[in-house]
């Protein structure tokens, strides 16, 4: 290594050491700065869930997602560690209240609102329709946060579909496959024919007046 290379190497070391020291400082200080409550203290989060027109929506699941965010020295970037969740359901007024037992290990908080959607083989996932970072609001209890769901139509269509299930065959298909990716209905004099499409599973169920008529397999595809 010549003189110029040695000089450049030495000049880089202080800068790298400073960045490393700053990263370590932030990784320790930020979680401590978020510790605004005693360990285990009950923090109440409350608010209203409404649609774009301000109308309250009942039976919506609201979840507080608490995450440990820290700076990874190895990756030289902030990353997320363990996550913990608590949830509540809105009432007829669209109101919700949930309680978070304070844990200073977690330093990032997000509220999400949505509805559970059944998937194949009895699985269930939350279709998130609204979210808000409330980390800066976690300063005093209660934490008041209202959420607005823009896609009210998704909830209405899902609930309309669930209310329409009234035969043993339809219930069995729903229990096994979950919510269809697409439903096609053809009304004829005296009967109703429906096609329930499951794109990723590669199946279409043809149902006539609530009775399963045919299962049509096809090559699985990603849904629209």
């Amino acid at each position: 290594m010549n003189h110029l290379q040695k000089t450049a190497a030495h000049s880089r070391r202080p800068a790298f050491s400073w960045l490393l020291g700053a990263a370590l400082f932030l990784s320790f200080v930020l979680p401590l700065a978020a510790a605004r409550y005693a360990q285990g203290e009950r923090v109440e989060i409350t608010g209203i869930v409404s649609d774009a027109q301000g109308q309250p929506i009942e039976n919506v699941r609201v979840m507080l997602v608490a995450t440990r965010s820290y700076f990874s020295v190895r990756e030289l970037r902030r990353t997320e560690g363990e996550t913990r969740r608590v949830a509540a359901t809105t009432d007829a007024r669209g109101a919700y209240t949930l309680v978070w037992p304070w844990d200073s290990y977690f330093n990032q908080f997000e509220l999400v609102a949505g509805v559970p959607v059944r998937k194949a083989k009895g699985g269930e996932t939350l279709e998130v329709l609204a979210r808000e970072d409330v980390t800066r609001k976690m300063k005093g209890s209660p934490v008041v946060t209202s959420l607005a769901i823009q896609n009210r139509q998704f909830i209405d269509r899902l609930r309309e579909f669930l209310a329409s299930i009234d035969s043993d065959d339809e219930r069995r298909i729903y229990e096994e496959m979950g919510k269809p990716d697409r439903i096609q209905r053809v009304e004829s004099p005296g009967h109703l024919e429906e096609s329930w499409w499951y794109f990723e599973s590669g199946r279409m169920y043809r149902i006539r007046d609530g009775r399963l008529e045919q299962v049509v397999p096809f090559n699985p595809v990603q849904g629209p």
Side-chain angles (χ1 to χ4, degrees):
M1 181 182 293
N2 60 36
H3 177 72
L4 290 177
Q5 290 174 323
K6 289 181 180 179
T7 302
H10 283 294
S11 65
R12 285 195 298 268
R13 285 174 187 167
F16 177 77
S17 299
W18 183 87
L19 288 173
L20 181 60
L24 290 172
F25 175 79
L26 289 174
S27 67
F28 285 104
V29 169
L30 287 181
L32 293 175
R36 305 179 181 95
Y37 305 91
Q39 197 76 347
E41 183 177 349
R42 290 163 58 90
V43 182
E44 184 178 286
I45 299 96
T46 187
I48 301 289
V49 176
S50 60
D51 60 20
Q53 284 70 47
Q55 296 299 313
I57 311 178
E58 64 177 324
N59 291 328
V60 171
R61 186 174 298 176
V62 181
M63 184 181 299
L64 178 71
V65 182
T67 307
R68 168 71 173 189
S69 178
Y70 63 95
F71 188 89
S72 172
V73 177
R74 182 166 57 183
E75 300 178 8
L76 292 179
R77 65 181 179 87
R78 292 200 69 78
T79 187
E80 293 184 355
E82 183 182 346
T83 296
R84 190 179 298 169
R85 298 171 175 83
V86 292
T89 302
T90 59
D91 61 18
R93 299 179 296 108
Y96 74 90
T97 298
L98 52 84
V99 175
W100 165 254
W102 184 258
D103 186 337
S104 59
Y105 174 82
F106 299 93
N107 58 6
Q108 187 169 331
F109 303 90
E110 183 181 40
L111 270 181
V112 298
V115 288
V117 177
R118 192 174 186 84
K119 298 294 184 180
K121 305 303 181 184
E124 189 179 85
T125 184
L126 184 69
E127 182 73 21
V128 176
L129 300 171
R131 64 197 323 144
E132 181 178 340
D133 189 317
V134 293
T135 304
R136 298 187 177 215
K137 291 185 176 183
M138 301 287 283
K139 296 178 180 179
S141 181
V143 178
V144 180
T145 299
S146 294
L147 298 168
I149 290 178
Q150 302 300 320
N151 191 5
R152 172 69 181 263
Q153 293 78 10
F154 179 90
I155 298 176
D156 292 340
R157 287 195 297 266
L158 174 62
R159 292 176 177 174
E160 179 184 0
F161 165 70
L162 294 176
S164 73
I165 300 176
D166 59 5
S167 74
D168 291 339
D169 280 352
E170 289 172 337
R171 281 188 286 271
R172 180 179 58 80
I173 297 168
Y174 176 69
E175 289 295 321
E176 179 184 352
M177 302 299 297
K179 176 182 174 295
D181 297 310
R182 177 183 294 172
I183 299 175
Q184 293 177 313
R185 292 185 174 92
V186 178
E187 292 190 38
S188 301
H191 72 271
L192 171 66
E193 184 172 300
E194 296 183 325
S195 298
W196 292 9
W197 294 83
Y198 296 90
F199 297 115
E200 294 186 9
S201 298
R203 293 185 186 180
M204 186 273 282
Y205 292 79
R206 183 169 288 119
I207 304 167
R208 182 184 174 97
D209 293 332
R211 185 167 62 90
L212 178 61
E213 293 281 306
Q214 185 183 17
V215 180
V216 180
F218 56 88
N219 291 329
V221 295
Q222 293 292 324

